[in-house]
Amino acid sequence: MSPRLLYPLLRATAHAVRWVPLAVGAALGLTIVVVPALLTDKLTDTHVVDLVRLAAACGALGAAFLLDDPAGRSTPTVPVPRLARDLARVAVAVPPVAMWWAVILLAAARPHLPAAALTLEAATLLTAAVALAAAARRRVPDGGAGVVAGPAVLGLVAVIWVLPRLLALAVAPDDPQWTVAHHRWAVLLAAGAAAFLWAGREPV
Amino acid sequence: MTLLAARPVEAAVPRRATLALARVEAVRLLRHPLTLAATLFLIGFWVATWFTNQANRFPVLQDIDRDTELGMMLLLGAAALIAGNLAVLRAHRDGTAGLGRVLILPAGARTAAHLLAVVPLAVLGVVLALLRVGVLWACTPAAGRPEAYEVLTGPATVLLFGALGVLLGRLTRSAVAAPLVLLALLASLVVLPLLTTGGRARWLQPVVVQGDPALPMPAPVALLGRPAGAHLGYLLGVAGLLAVAAVARAGTRTVRVGVAGGVALALAVTGGVLQLWPLDGSVRAARVAAMEHPAARQECRTLDGVTYCAFPEFSRWIPAWHDLVRAVVAQVPEARRPDRLAVRQRVVVGDLSVAGTWHADDVAAGTPDAVTASTRWGDSRSAAELAGQVAYRLITGAGPGAGAVACGGTGVLTVWLAGQAGPLAATGIRLLADPHGVSFAQADALPGVDVPAPELTVGLAALHLPAGRVRDAWATLTAPGTTAARAAALLGLPAPPAGDPGRGCR
């Protein structure tokens, strides 16, 4: 694809993306982190980490609607490949999402908040959400992939929360398994990215 | 005449059509992938806890029904919320919303059908909850009894969440709203317990999993004082209000809907107020009585000369206690076995100054110096605590009492004898150990028998010796003045590191 096409593609994509789910998810995520801190001073590091994780899940839920395209049936005929269109959608969403996440971490400001590790978790959830949306779109007509991907993201969060100790991902910050768990998160992130690329292949 | 005859028919058709639509939607809701996944997840989770948590081998049913509520709300409730919401939005998603206007059913009746469709899912919840309790009651020596209101609370949350999903579908066309509401609810589960700090206000949450802070351990049903009935009414009232709001939002604002709203409001307010009422005085009195004078409320059974007394709901655990006690007694030289041994179950309610009352109660009941069994059983810690107290009682002849310290050879022998109860108790001793030694607590709260670190080290090492070798040294080990180092030398074990001589040993 020619670089000259990039700007028009990104601009048109930014217009086409449904921002409302992402914005609502981000706003709720921020609320989940900010409001409890205002209401009580009894929050421990574990509580804050749990709330930040829930905020990340809110963002991921919004991201599950990122690839929704009501004109989905007409786009297979355009010259820009499907994967490039998907990447363009992700590209326009990354800057606002990154800013939102920075605000979340600032709002959750704690002396010992493991920000890097939580950012890895959030990146994994967001990638998984977009990958699920890309995979769902192969089956769901009329660009309504978010309807399937959204609940699937919740299912993923539920599974992550209850994984047995041997495979635990959502561990407490003082857990000796913290580092090992984050190696698993990194593997999951790579798997999510690979799944996203796989789901963007053509033909459908 | 024709007009008069036609009116009832017109009124009847929508009702029949509403019920027909509700049937179809109910089947779709039950067969929805989310519902199926949630049901399998819920059952899988219950089965998994059986294998991961040893304490589940001896469940307490009044705690199990509470535990059931949370899982049901988070899984079946979530499925009702999201799938119910998606069902309402289906017409919009499929671009058939306009066609609905020419159908026989107005939007309000269609909304009512979606609301009715949640009921079979709630019934499924009742069946699953009863099945869980029933299987545990039949397949394990479960203690306690389930509370009907608590069993129905989980399904009530399914109704509540289902109604919320339908209402959200009528308020916004975005499919992201329902899942986000669920995440907000999860966040509230993290925060609300901190805000309410165990007060009655915690009953405003859909599900109250935390027990009364005054009852850290499982307790007989009569002592719980949970306003489960009022809470169920509150949940059903709120669910009704949400349902009425959904129907009204869809355009049906008839007198009947208004009356339903009034009834739901009355139910929610009455239940809400009653559940916030302070704990009943009779429950407080019953708690104090059960704590200070348990003998009058218990039934006793004698097995192989050992008397076991338990609250009637917990008497199914007596054979399991006996297996442990028998294993410990078997290692005591016959000449040193006491004539009488008693094990009494106790509960502790907030106040910790009851050991003196217990002694008097035991003497009055004819079971002096009874060893304390708690209201939790099946895990390694409980096994170690009972085994440790029984061992101390057998060695010294004295009841554990508050803060007894087993020093020197007695401490070594106490740990060794407790370890003879089996691998579970031995694991429990290691889990209970801290740098100062080990404490075999009574009812998980009161000090029972403390063994300092040097004695613990030698006692644990002695577990690897042939039992006969320790029994042969019994007299020397129990003699006054035998230190942990002397006991180690006697048993041919390495001397313990000179540790903290505290906890009453000089």
Side-chain angles (χ1 to χ4, degrees), chain B residues 116-291:
Chain B
L116 287 174
V118 182
V119 175
L121 188 55
V123 173
L124 174 68
V126 176
V127 171
L128 287 176
L130 288 176
L131 210 58
R132 184 187 191 200
V133 170
V135 166
L136 286 176
W137 188 85
C139 301
T140 69
R145 59 181 164 82
E147 171 90 44
Y149 293 133
E150 298 272 14
V151 170
L152 291 174
T153 297
T157 62
V158 175
L159 287 178
L160 176 70
F161 281 37
L164 182 60
V166 174
L167 175 62
L168 284 172
R170 287 294 170 218
L171 291 175
T172 168
R173 291 174 175 177
S174 176
V176 79
L180 283 178
V181 165
L182 191 67
L183 287 176
L185 177 98
L186 286 177
S188 78
L189 289 181
V190 176
V191 180
L192 283 178
L194 297 175
L195 294 178
T196 55
T197 57
R200 298 299 268 187
R202 71 191 197 281
W203 285 96
L204 294 173
Q205 303 176 87
V207 160
V208 182
V209 185
Q210 309 89 357
D212 191 322
L215 292 172
M217 293 282 284
V221 175
L223 308 186
L224 291 180
R226 285 170 64 88
H231 187 63
L232 180 65
Y234 163 74
L235 287 181
L236 292 176
V238 174
L241 281 175
L242 293 174
V244 166
V247 173
R249 170 74 188 173
T252 304
R253 289 166 193 168
T254 58
V255 174
R256 201 183 294 175
V257 172
V259 170
V263 171
L265 182 66
L267 195 57
V269 170
T270 311
V273 170
L274 285 179
Q275 68 184 352
L276 297 178
W277 222 253
L279 193 62
D280 191 34
S282 62
V283 177
R284 283 180 199 281
R287 284 180 177 185
V288 173
M291 176 176 69

